[in-house]
Amino acid sequence: MLIALNYKMNGRKTFHLNQLETIKKLNKKGTNLVLCPSFVFLHLFKFKNKNIFLGAQDIAAVNNGKSTGQTSAQMLNEFGVKYVIVGHSERRKDGETDEQISQKVKNAIENNITPIICVGANADEDVSKTLKTQLKFALKHVKTGNNIVVAYEPVWAIGTGRTPTVKEINFAANLIKKQLEKSKINAQILYGGSVNDKNFNELKTANIDGFLLGGVSLETKKLVKIISGV
Ligand code: PEP
């Protein structure tokens, strides 16, 4: 199972250091953890655990040059970042385009960083249609053999306390798998959106490979319950 933690623009230095100490001790066999803090906190995340990986929350669509405020794939790779979240709905809402997302995925792969590609529809959108379009762009530069992760995150479930049913998650996961098969791409599929220590046991029965956790990443006790219960 793969569990990625998206801390978003949250957490302070002491929080991260304390939580990391707790997480390091968990060492759950068969569970890989990806920790995605804000860029300024990446340097705090020092660990030797083979099942913990460093992740970033974004990556530049260009590789270098006149891009004030951006962080390139090469820079992240040099820093030891192994995963990057791409196309999160909070970024799409801020104007990130499908074209930029496909470029970010390409840059990540070319620099040995596994993109965690977020896809998901708004409540008033057609799930199949939205996922197909988002994936068409996101997979544009992905080739057979590349490592990628796709996170199904219905926009209406993010931070709302509402989750889809296991049946709905399976429907979306199947749709994603079919589109990946067409392009002969292997990927791990995650679910993300209001996962917590209460609904985790139910949601983990879905036909997926893991989870992308947002809000609950900030609640260490609940997080430990989730990781221990895998
Ligand atoms: C997310 O933003 O990727 C996410 C899963 O958030 P939350 O768990 O808070 O819904």
Side-chain angles (χ1 to χ4, degrees):
M1 166 141 347
L2 180 68
I3 297 187
L5 309 186
N6 176 11
Y7 295 104
K8 311 194 184 193
M9 201 171 65
N10 292 306
R12 303 290 291 268
K13 193 172 167 177
T14 11
F15 162 79
H16 284 306
L17 290 174
N18 289 339
Q19 191 191 67
L20 184 61
E21 281 314 302
T22 307
I23 287 178
K24 282 201 274 196
K25 287 182 203 132
L26 289 175
N27 220 345
K28 184 96 183 159
K29 258 207 173 143
T31 300
N32 287 333
L33 299 175
V34 180
L35 313 178
C36 308
S38 150
F39 283 126
V40 295
F41 290 140
L42 282 169
H43 71 101
L44 298 174
F45 285 69
K46 296 193 175 76
F47 45 82
K48 291 203 173 108
N49 308 47
K50 290 209 165 68
N51 66 327
I52 304 181
F53 301 88
L54 195 54
Q57 295 178 19
D58 192 25
I59 192 169
V62 289
N63 268 324
N64 50 42
K66 296 174 179 169
S67 247
T68 306
Q70 298 285 312
T71 308
S72 75
Q74 290 110 314
M75 291 169 181
L76 292 175
N77 171 292
E78 270 188 21
F79 197 87
V81 166
K82 302 293 182 205
Y83 288 82
V84 63
I85 298 171
V86 178
H88 192 280
S89 62
E90 287 159 7
R91 299 201 58 81
R92 291 182 192 262
K93 199 171 87 217
D94 282 348
E96 186 166 87
T97 64
D98 279 320
E99 200 53 63
Q100 286 170 324
I101 290 166
S102 69
Q103 207 52 47
K104 288 180 179 197
V105 170
K106 180 174 186 275
N107 292 350
I109 291 171
E110 285 177 356
N111 288 279
N112 294 319
I113 299 172
T114 303
I116 302 176
I117 302 166
C118 299
V119 293
N122 282 296
D124 58 350
E125 285 176 325
D126 181 290
V127 177
S128 312
K129 229 167 136 184
T130 304
L131 292 191
K132 273 183 196 157
T133 310
Q134 290 176 341
L135 282 170
K136 191 181 92 186
F137 279 96
L139 302 178
K140 197 164 146 189
H141 302 290
V142 182
K143 298 185 185 78
T144 310
N146 289 156
N147 274 335
I148 65 160
V149 176
V150 178
Y152 172 55
E153 296 209 308
V155 181
W156 53 266
I158 295 178
T160 60
R162 291 169 54 216
T163 59
T165 61
V166 168
K167 205 172 153 194
E168 285 166 335
I169 296 174
N170 285 341
F171 172 80
N174 277 338
L175 214 131
I176 294 166
K177 278 178 203 164
K178 275 197 191 132
Q179 193 129 342
L180 291 167
E181 272 165 23
K182 260 195 229 160
S183 318
K184 298 194 172 64
I185 298 163
N186 266 327
Q188 284 177 292
I189 298 178
L190 312 183
Y191 166 75
S194 293
V195 178
N196 59 41
D197 56 324
K198 300 255 161 38
N199 59 24
F200 181 72
N201 278 338
E202 164 80 6
L203 294 172
K204 80 174 184 198
T205 63
N207 194 12
I208 50 172
D209 305 295
F211 293 89
L212 177 54
L213 309 178
V216 80
S217 310
L218 302 169
E219 299 187 68
T220 306
K221 272 192 188 150
K222 293 183 183 175
L223 185 63
V224 168
K225 257 175 98 179
I226 290 176
I227 298 171
S228 312
V230 167

